[in-house]
Amino acid sequence: MAADPETALRLLREGVLTVHGRLTDASNAVLYCTATLDGLTAPCVYKPVAGERPLWDFPDGTLAGREVAAYEVSAATGWGLIPPTVLRDGPHGPGMVQLWVEPDPAAEELLALQDPAGHEPGWLPIVRAEIGPGRTALLVHRDDERLRRLSLLDAVLNNADRKGGHWISAADGRLYGIDHGVTFAVPGKLRTLLWGWAEQPVTGEALDVLARLADALDGVLGERLRPHLTPAELAAAAERVALLRRTARHPLPSPDWPSIPWPPV
C-alpha cells in the first residue's frame, strides 16, 4: 500500500477511521487505527492535534502539520521515503493520519556497535559511545543508499529527531522514515544518526532531486506547504535546498546544536 500512494492517500483522506489502541511509548498522543473505504482496509497511525504537547522551540503551527509537510517534500523527491500522510478530521479532532508500515523482522540491521579502533567495511562511523564503565564502542550505520537519501531529505527538512527507531525497513525492501513533527525550524537544528556522509559530495542523482525541489518550492510544492508552515519556515527550507546545491556536499554537524538525538535509538 505504501508503494501505491494514490490509493493510500484516498483511503487515508476519505476512509472511516476506527481507533484500536494507543502507542503508549510515544511522547504525544499516537493512536493505532484502521481506515476503511470501498471494501479496502489498511492500518494507520492517527496523531490528533489535541494530543500534542507544546514545544518552546517550535511555537508555530502543529506537529501534525509539519508531518504532512515532510511527506509532501518526500513525495516531491520521488524517493518515497515517508509513508503516505494526510491531515484530516478524526475521532478526536483534526490530526495527522499516516499509513502504518510493518517492519520486516528479517531485514538486516542498519545500526551496530563495533570496535572503537575502527569501523568494518560497509559501515560508516557516527560517534564513539560509552557502553559501560571504562568501555567504549563505535556506533555505526550501514553505507546504504536508502539511508543516504534519507540523510539528504533530513537536511532539507532540518529534522531535529532522526533516531534509529525513526526509520523502518519494510518487507518490500524499501526504507521509510517516520516521526517528522520537529522539522522545518528556521535555525539549524539537524539532529540525526546519519552523519556517515558528513561533508562528502552528494550524488548526481541527489543534485537532480535538489534542482527539482528548488523549482517545486517556488511553485506547486510551495503552495502545498503554505497551510502547514510559516513564511519564514518555507523560506528557510528553500535556503537549505539552495545551500545544498551550492556546496554539493552533505552537511556537517552544527557547533551550536546537539548533533545526536537522545535517546539515539
Side-chain angles (χ1 to χ4, degrees), residues 94 116 126 128 209 242:
I126 305 168
R128 200 175 303 274
V209 167

Side-chain angles (χ1 to χ4, degrees), residues 46-58:
Y46 164 47
K47 298 182 181 180
V49 172
E52 297 180 3
R53 297 180 183 180
L55 298 174
W56 67 268
D57 52 343
F58 286 86

Side-chain angles (χ1 to χ4, degrees), residues 11 18 32 61 93 121 132 138 142 153 175 189 195 217 239-240:
L11 177 61
T18 302
Y32 179 78
L138 191 62
R142 285 195 185 273
L153 177 64
L175 185 78
K189 290 182 180 289
W195 289 116
L217 284 167
E239 289 169 7
R240 288 192 296 273

Side-chain angles (χ1 to χ4, degrees), residues 50-138:
E52 297 180 3
R53 297 180 183 180
L55 298 174
W56 67 268
D57 52 343
F58 286 86
D60 300 308
T62 64
L63 303 182
R66 284 189 285 273
E67 293 235 36
V68 174
Y71 168 73
E72 294 289 354
V73 173
S74 169
T77 67
W79 286 335
L81 290 169
I82 298 177
T85 309
V86 303
L87 189 69
R88 60 163 288 180
D89 200 22
H92 300 283
M96 181 279 282
V97 179
Q98 184 175 83
L99 192 71
W100 177 275
V101 175
E102 190 68 27
D104 179 7
E108 65 179 12
E109 293 295 332
L110 298 176
L111 287 174
L113 290 170
Q114 295 181 358
D115 190 326
H119 60 89
E120 300 172 6
W123 296 83
L124 296 172
I126 305 168
V127 70
R128 200 175 303 274
E130 291 187 10
I131 57 174
R135 299 173 58 219
T136 62
L138 191 62

Side-chain angles (χ1 to χ4, degrees), residues 241-252:
V241 171
L243 179 62
L244 288 165
R245 294 182 70 194
R246 188 164 62 249
T247 64
R249 292 184 179 274
H250 288 266
L252 285 165

Side-chain angles (χ1 to χ4, degrees), residues 142-225:
R142 285 195 185 273
D143 188 359
D144 185 302
E145 187 58 33
R146 300 170 304 168
L147 287 179
R148 187 168 190 166
R149 289 171 173 172
L150 189 62
S151 75
L152 191 75
L153 177 64
D154 283 341
V156 171
L157 300 179
N158 198 13
N159 190 354
D161 198 28
R162 179 60 72 199
K163 295 182 173 74
H166 287 181
W167 64 66
I168 297 171
S169 295
D172 61 1
R174 297 168 68 106
L175 185 78
Y176 295 96
I178 60 171
D179 288 329
H180 298 95
V182 286
T183 49
F184 293 104
V186 173
K189 290 182 180 289
L190 184 59
R191 189 165 53 186
T192 176
L193 291 185
L194 300 178
W195 289 116
W197 296 280
E199 213 175 16
Q200 289 190 21
V202 300
T203 65
E205 177 204 33
L207 285 174
D208 291 342
V209 167
L210 290 169
R212 292 200 303 271
L213 276 183
D215 290 340
L217 284 167
D218 228 5
V220 175
L221 177 60
E223 292 303 314
R224 295 178 75 89
L225 298 183

